[in-house]
Amino acid sequence: EDSRRSERRHQTDSGGGNGSDQPPRGKKDKKPKKKRKKSKTKRFFKWLVILLILLFAYSTVMFLKGKSAAEHDDSLPQEKVETFNGVRSSNGAKNILILGSDTRGEDAGRADTIMVLQLNGPSKKPKLISFMRDTFVDIPGVGPNKINAAYAYGGAELVRETLKQNFNLDTKYYAKVDFQSFEKIVDSMFPKGVKIDAEKSLNLDGVDIEKGQQVMDGHVLLQYARFRMDEEGDFGRVRRQQQVMSAVMSQMKNPMTLLRTPESLGKLVGYMSTDVPVSFMLTNGPSLLIKGKAGVESLSVPVPDSWNFGESSYAGSILEVDEQKNADVIEKFLNE
């Protein structure tokens, strides 16, 4: 009897007498669950890596496709890369000098549009400075003249030196685009047009634009940005150019636009003359798309209460400016 009781106790202690080493019920599923969870995590990261590789491959192929198409477009003259001794700004930013020109008409050879774009400054927000074309400045090696004449005398490098000498503004890279190229780039990115609130009715080169909400293709958008045949002159034109830049950037958040962006970026590089490295574009492009949707902070030079209308015997109507005051405002704008 004592022997049977001892045997039953032994069977109970060893798991009910079945000789099994399995843990009690309710505990045996814990390890498999952990394995399944780890397996799901591994699959997730695996597919994420594959997706990123495919996205990179797609972007590269479309970029090269757009660049090749622009470089083989015989309807426009091919732009050559200029010598540009760019300098990083004192705040660490690599500002981009943007030049727009029209190869047609009486101003051919001059920079009709002069802007400086800061993407990676202290605020990490896109900031844009526009310079009035009639601003009277001292062009190094040339003398006093309108700022837009600097490009005709010495290309992008002389514009860079002029901005540094008169406004203490450094630029690291440059990008010059012809107006006809601008049209094609816009149409590539926005086949259905760009939504913009036209601030006034106007007509330029046979294009009629009505005041109010509009959807403009590249050609119409260009005429809207170029117009200055009213009482505001260049002041209104610069304001509309900044409005166009802000509208374009804010609408790049559209998923379909993002898919077209690599090809459009390739066309942009192929059409324009620039020394901006592709690595810089890839590094700063995504942040521009994300932050640019809220618009771009803008500044026009000369700033209010810093200029007067004047006349020059050889340059015509000019804007006489307080260079130091404008330089101080520019520094504050880019650093805040």
Coordinates of all heavy atoms in Angstrom, one line a residue, residues 244-305:
V244 N 4.3 82.8 -58.0 CA 4.4 81.6 -58.9 C 5.3 80.5 -58.3 O 4.9 79.3 -58.3 CB 5.0 82.0 -60.3 CG1 5.4 80.7 -61.1 CG2 4.0 82.8 -61.1
M245 N 6.4 80.9 -57.7 CA 7.3 79.9 -57.1 C 6.6 79.2 -55.9 O 6.7 78.0 -55.7 CB 8.6 80.7 -56.6 CG 9.5 81.1 -57.7 SD 10.5 79.8 -58.3 CE 11.7 79.5 -57.0
S246 N 5.9 80.0 -55.1 CA 5.2 79.5 -54.0 C 4.1 78.5 -54.4 O 3.9 77.5 -53.8 CB 4.6 80.6 -53.1 OG 4.0 80.1 -51.9
A247 N 3.4 78.9 -55.5 CA 2.3 78.0 -56.0 C 2.8 76.7 -56.5 O 2.2 75.7 -56.3 CB 1.5 78.8 -57.1
V248 N 3.9 76.8 -57.2 CA 4.5 75.6 -57.8 C 5.0 74.6 -56.6 O 4.7 73.4 -56.7 CB 5.7 75.9 -58.7 CG1 6.5 74.7 -59.0 CG2 5.2 76.5 -60.0
M249 N 5.6 75.2 -55.6 CA 6.1 74.3 -54.6 C 5.0 73.8 -53.7 O 5.1 72.6 -53.3 CB 7.1 75.1 -53.7 CG 8.4 75.5 -54.3 SD 9.6 76.3 -53.2 CE 11.0 76.5 -54.3
S250 N 3.9 74.6 -53.5 CA 2.8 74.1 -52.7 C 2.1 73.0 -53.3 O 1.5 72.1 -52.7 CB 1.9 75.2 -52.3 OG 1.2 75.7 -53.5
Q251 N 2.1 72.9 -54.7 CA 1.3 71.9 -55.4 C 2.2 70.6 -55.7 O 1.7 69.7 -56.3 CB 0.7 72.5 -56.7 CG -0.4 73.4 -56.3 CD -0.9 74.2 -57.5 OE1 -1.3 73.7 -58.6 NE2 -0.9 75.6 -57.4
M252 N 3.4 70.7 -55.3 CA 4.3 69.5 -55.5 C 4.0 68.4 -54.6 O 4.5 67.3 -54.7 CB 5.8 69.9 -55.4 CG 6.2 70.7 -56.6 SD 7.9 71.3 -56.5 CE 8.8 69.8 -56.8
K253 N 3.1 68.6 -53.6 CA 2.8 67.6 -52.6 C 1.8 66.6 -53.2 O 1.6 65.5 -52.6 CB 2.1 68.2 -51.4 CG 0.8 69.0 -51.7 CD 0.3 69.7 -50.4 CE -1.0 70.4 -50.8 NZ -1.6 71.1 -49.6
N254 N 1.2 66.9 -54.3 CA 0.3 65.9 -55.0 C 1.0 64.6 -55.3 O 2.1 64.7 -55.9 CB -0.3 66.6 -56.3 CG -1.3 65.7 -56.9 OD1 -1.0 64.6 -57.4 ND2 -2.5 66.2 -57.0
P255 N 0.5 63.4 -55.0 CA 1.2 62.2 -55.2 C 1.6 62.0 -56.7 O 2.7 61.5 -57.0 CB 0.1 61.1 -54.8 CG -0.7 61.8 -53.8 CD -0.8 63.2 -54.2
M256 N 0.7 62.4 -57.6 CA 1.0 62.2 -59.0 C 2.2 63.1 -59.4 O 3.0 62.7 -60.3 CB -0.2 62.5 -59.9 CG -1.3 61.4 -59.8 SD -0.6 59.7 -60.1 CE -0.1 59.9 -61.8
T257 N 2.2 64.3 -58.9 CA 3.3 65.2 -59.1 C 4.6 64.6 -58.6 O 5.6 64.8 -59.3 CB 3.0 66.6 -58.5 OG1 1.8 67.1 -59.0 CG2 4.1 67.6 -58.8
L258 N 4.6 64.0 -57.5 CA 5.8 63.4 -56.9 C 6.3 62.3 -57.8 O 7.5 62.2 -57.9 CB 5.5 62.9 -55.5 CG 5.2 63.9 -54.4 CD1 4.8 63.2 -53.1 CD2 6.3 64.9 -54.2
L259 N 5.4 61.5 -58.4 CA 5.8 60.5 -59.3 C 6.5 61.1 -60.6 O 7.4 60.5 -61.1 CB 4.6 59.6 -59.7 CG 4.1 58.7 -58.6 CD1 2.8 58.0 -59.1 CD2 5.1 57.7 -58.2
R260 N 6.0 62.3 -61.0 CA 6.6 62.9 -62.2 C 7.8 63.7 -61.9 O 8.6 64.0 -62.8 CB 5.5 63.8 -62.8 CG 4.4 63.1 -63.5 CD 3.5 64.0 -64.3 NE 2.8 65.0 -63.4 CZ 1.6 64.8 -63.0 NH1 0.9 63.7 -63.3 NH2 1.0 65.7 -62.2
T261 N 8.0 64.0 -60.6 CA 9.1 64.9 -60.2 C 10.5 64.4 -60.6 O 11.3 65.2 -61.1 CB 9.1 65.1 -58.7 OG1 7.9 65.8 -58.3 CG2 10.3 66.0 -58.2
P262 N 10.9 63.1 -60.5 CA 12.2 62.7 -61.0 C 12.5 63.0 -62.4 O 13.6 63.5 -62.8 CB 12.2 61.2 -60.7 CG 11.3 61.0 -59.6 CD 10.2 62.0 -59.8
E263 N 11.5 62.8 -63.3 CA 11.7 63.0 -64.7 C 11.7 64.5 -65.0 O 12.6 65.0 -65.7 CB 10.5 62.4 -65.5 CG 10.7 62.7 -67.0 CD 9.6 62.0 -67.8 OE1 8.7 61.4 -67.2 OE2 9.6 62.1 -69.1
S264 N 10.9 65.3 -64.2 CA 10.9 66.8 -64.4 C 12.2 67.4 -63.9 O 12.7 68.3 -64.5 CB 9.7 67.4 -63.6 OG 8.5 66.9 -64.1
L265 N 12.7 66.8 -62.8 CA 14.0 67.2 -62.3 C 15.1 67.0 -63.3 O 16.0 67.8 -63.5 CB 14.3 66.6 -61.0 CG 15.6 67.0 -60.2 CD1 15.6 68.4 -59.9 CD2 15.8 66.1 -59.0
G266 N 15.0 65.8 -64.0 CA 16.0 65.5 -65.0 C 15.9 66.5 -66.1 O 17.0 66.9 -66.7
K267 N 14.7 66.9 -66.5 CA 14.6 67.9 -67.6 C 15.1 69.2 -67.2 O 15.7 69.9 -67.9 CB 13.1 68.0 -68.0 CG 12.5 66.8 -68.8 CD 11.1 67.0 -69.2 CE 10.6 65.9 -70.1 NZ 9.2 66.1 -70.6
L268 N 14.8 69.6 -65.9 CA 15.3 70.8 -65.4 C 16.8 70.9 -65.5 O 17.4 71.9 -65.9 CB 14.9 71.0 -63.9 CG 15.3 72.2 -63.2 CD1 14.7 73.5 -63.8 CD2 15.0 72.1 -61.7
V269 N 17.5 69.8 -65.1 CA 19.0 69.8 -65.1 C 19.4 69.8 -66.6 O 20.4 70.4 -66.9 CB 19.5 68.5 -64.4 CG1 21.0 68.4 -64.6 CG2 19.2 68.6 -62.9
G270 N 18.7 69.1 -67.4 CA 19.1 69.0 -68.9 C 18.9 70.3 -69.6 O 19.7 70.7 -70.5
Y271 N 17.9 71.1 -69.2 CA 17.6 72.3 -69.9 C 18.5 73.5 -69.4 O 18.8 74.4 -70.2 CB 16.2 72.7 -69.8 CG 15.2 72.0 -70.7 CD1 14.1 71.4 -70.3 CD2 15.5 72.0 -72.1 CE1 13.2 70.7 -71.1 CE2 14.6 71.4 -73.0 CZ 13.5 70.8 -72.5 OH 12.6 70.1 -73.4
M272 N 18.8 73.5 -68.1 CA 19.4 74.7 -67.6 C 20.9 74.5 -67.5 O 21.5 73.5 -67.5 CB 18.8 75.1 -66.2 CG 19.1 74.1 -65.1 SD 18.3 74.5 -63.6 CE 18.9 73.2 -62.5
S273 N 21.6 75.7 -67.3 CA 23.0 75.7 -67.0 C 23.1 75.8 -65.5 O 22.6 76.7 -64.9 CB 23.7 76.9 -67.7 OG 25.0 77.1 -67.2
T274 N 23.8 74.8 -64.8 CA 23.9 74.8 -63.4 C 25.1 74.0 -62.9 O 25.5 73.1 -63.6 CB 22.6 74.2 -62.7 OG1 22.7 74.3 -61.3 CG2 22.4 72.8 -63.2
D275 N 25.6 74.4 -61.7 CA 26.6 73.6 -61.1 C 26.1 72.9 -59.8 O 26.9 72.5 -59.0 CB 27.9 74.4 -60.8 CG 27.6 75.5 -59.8 OD1 26.4 75.8 -59.5 OD2 28.6 76.0 -59.2
V276 N 24.8 72.9 -59.6 CA 24.2 72.3 -58.4 C 24.5 70.8 -58.5 O 24.0 70.1 -59.5 CB 22.7 72.6 -58.3 CG1 22.2 71.9 -57.0 CG2 22.5 74.1 -58.2
P277 N 25.2 70.1 -57.6 CA 25.4 68.7 -57.7 C 24.1 67.9 -57.5 O 23.2 68.3 -56.8 CB 26.3 68.4 -56.5 CG 26.9 69.8 -56.1 CD 25.8 70.8 -56.4
V278 N 24.0 66.8 -58.2 CA 22.8 65.9 -58.1 C 22.7 65.5 -56.6 O 21.6 65.3 -56.1 CB 23.0 64.7 -59.0 CG1 21.8 63.7 -58.8 CG2 23.0 65.2 -60.5
S279 N 23.8 65.2 -56.0 CA 23.7 64.8 -54.6 C 23.0 65.9 -53.7 O 22.3 65.5 -52.8 CB 25.1 64.6 -54.0 OG 25.9 65.7 -54.1
F280 N 23.3 67.2 -54.0 CA 22.6 68.2 -53.2 C 21.1 68.2 -53.5 O 20.3 68.4 -52.6 CB 23.2 69.6 -53.6 CG 22.6 70.8 -52.9 CD1 23.2 71.1 -51.7 CD2 21.6 71.5 -53.4 CE1 22.6 72.2 -51.0 CE2 21.0 72.6 -52.7 CZ 21.6 72.9 -51.5
M281 N 20.7 68.0 -54.8 CA 19.3 67.9 -55.1 C 18.6 66.8 -54.4 O 17.5 66.9 -53.9 CB 19.2 67.7 -56.7 CG 19.7 68.9 -57.5 SD 19.4 68.6 -59.3 CE 20.4 69.9 -60.0
L282 N 19.3 65.6 -54.4 CA 18.7 64.4 -53.7 C 18.6 64.6 -52.2 O 17.6 64.2 -51.6 CB 19.5 63.2 -54.1 CG 19.5 62.8 -55.5 CD1 20.4 61.6 -55.7 CD2 18.1 62.4 -56.0
T283 N 19.6 65.3 -51.7 CA 19.6 65.5 -50.2 C 18.5 66.5 -49.8 O 17.8 66.4 -48.8 CB 21.0 66.0 -49.7 OG1 21.9 65.0 -50.1 CG2 21.0 66.2 -48.2
N284 N 18.4 67.6 -50.6 CA 17.5 68.7 -50.2 C 16.1 68.7 -50.9 O 15.2 69.4 -50.4 CB 18.2 70.1 -50.5 CG 19.4 70.3 -49.6 OD1 19.3 70.8 -48.5 ND2 20.6 70.0 -50.1
G285 N 16.0 67.9 -51.9 CA 14.8 67.8 -52.6 C 13.6 67.4 -51.8 O 12.5 68.0 -51.8
P286 N 13.7 66.2 -51.1 CA 12.6 65.8 -50.3 C 12.1 66.8 -49.2 O 10.9 67.0 -49.0 CB 13.2 64.5 -49.6 CG 14.2 64.0 -50.5 CD 14.8 65.3 -51.1
S287 N 13.1 67.5 -48.6 CA 12.7 68.5 -47.6 C 12.0 69.6 -48.2 O 11.1 70.3 -47.7 CB 13.9 68.9 -46.8 OG 14.8 69.6 -47.6
L288 N 12.4 70.0 -49.5 CA 11.8 71.1 -50.2 C 10.3 70.7 -50.5 O 9.4 71.5 -50.4 CB 12.6 71.3 -51.5 CG 12.0 72.4 -52.4 CD1 11.9 73.8 -51.7 CD2 12.8 72.6 -53.7
L289 N 10.1 69.4 -50.9 CA 8.7 69.0 -51.2 C 7.9 69.0 -50.0 O 6.7 69.4 -50.0 CB 8.8 67.6 -51.8 CG 9.5 67.4 -53.1 CD1 9.5 65.9 -53.5 CD2 8.9 68.3 -54.2
I290 N 8.4 68.6 -48.8 CA 7.6 68.6 -47.6 C 7.4 69.9 -47.1 O 6.2 70.3 -46.7 CB 8.4 67.7 -46.6 CG1 8.4 66.2 -47.1 CG2 7.6 67.8 -45.2 CD1 9.3 65.4 -46.2
K291 N 8.4 70.8 -47.0 CA 8.3 72.1 -46.3 C 7.7 73.1 -47.3 O 7.1 74.1 -46.9 CB 9.6 72.5 -45.8 CG 10.1 71.6 -44.7 CD 11.5 72.0 -44.3 CE 12.0 71.0 -43.2 NZ 13.4 71.3 -42.8
G292 N 8.0 72.9 -48.6 CA 7.5 73.8 -49.6 C 6.0 73.9 -49.8 O 5.5 74.9 -50.3
K293 N 5.3 72.8 -49.3 CA 3.9 72.8 -49.5 C 3.2 73.9 -48.7 O 2.1 74.3 -49.0 CB 3.3 71.5 -49.1 CG 3.4 71.1 -47.7 CD 2.9 69.7 -47.4 CE 3.0 69.3 -45.9 NZ 2.5 68.0 -45.7
A294 N 3.9 74.4 -47.7 CA 3.3 75.5 -46.9 C 3.7 76.9 -47.5 O 3.4 77.9 -46.9 CB 3.9 75.4 -45.5
G295 N 4.4 76.8 -48.6 CA 4.8 78.1 -49.3 C 6.2 78.4 -49.0 O 6.9 77.7 -48.3
V296 N 6.7 79.5 -49.5 CA 8.1 79.9 -49.4 C 8.1 81.3 -48.8 O 7.4 82.2 -49.2 CB 8.8 79.9 -50.8 CG1 10.2 80.3 -50.6 CG2 8.6 78.6 -51.5
E297 N 9.0 81.5 -47.8 CA 9.1 82.8 -47.3 C 9.9 83.7 -48.2 O 11.0 83.3 -48.7 CB 9.9 82.7 -45.9 CG 9.1 82.1 -44.8 CD 9.8 82.1 -43.5 OE1 10.6 83.0 -43.3 OE2 9.5 81.3 -42.6
S298 N 9.4 84.9 -48.5 CA 10.0 85.7 -49.6 C 10.4 87.1 -49.1 O 9.8 87.6 -48.2 CB 9.0 85.8 -50.8 OG 8.7 84.6 -51.3
L299 N 11.4 87.6 -49.8 CA 11.9 89.0 -49.5 C 12.2 89.6 -50.9 O 12.8 89.0 -51.7 CB 13.1 89.0 -48.6 CG 13.8 90.3 -48.3 CD1 12.9 91.1 -47.4 CD2 15.2 90.1 -47.7
S300 N 11.8 90.9 -51.0 CA 12.2 91.6 -52.3 C 13.2 92.7 -51.9 O 13.0 93.4 -50.9 CB 10.9 92.3 -52.9 OG 10.0 91.3 -53.3
V301 N 14.2 92.9 -52.8 CA 15.2 93.9 -52.6 C 15.2 94.8 -53.9 O 15.2 94.3 -55.0 CB 16.6 93.2 -52.5 CG1 17.7 94.2 -52.4 CG2 16.6 92.3 -51.2
P302 N 15.2 96.1 -53.6 CA 15.3 96.8 -52.3 C 14.1 96.7 -51.4 O 13.0 96.6 -51.9 CB 15.6 98.3 -52.7 CG 14.9 98.4 -54.1 CD 15.1 97.1 -54.7
V303 N 14.3 96.7 -50.1 CA 13.2 96.6 -49.2 C 12.6 98.0 -49.0 O 13.2 99.0 -49.4 CB 13.8 96.2 -47.8 CG1 14.4 94.8 -47.9 CG2 14.8 97.1 -47.2
P304 N 11.4 98.1 -48.5 CA 10.7 99.4 -48.3 C 11.6 100.4 -47.5 O 12.4 100.1 -46.7 CB 9.5 99.1 -47.5 CG 9.2 97.6 -47.9 CD 10.5 97.0 -48.0
D305 N 11.4 101.7 -47.9 CA 12.1 102.8 -47.3 C 13.6 102.7 -47.4 O 14.4 103.2 -46.6 CB 11.7 102.9 -45.8 CG 10.2 103.1 -45.6 OD1 9.6 103.9 -46.4 OD2 9.7 102.5 -44.7

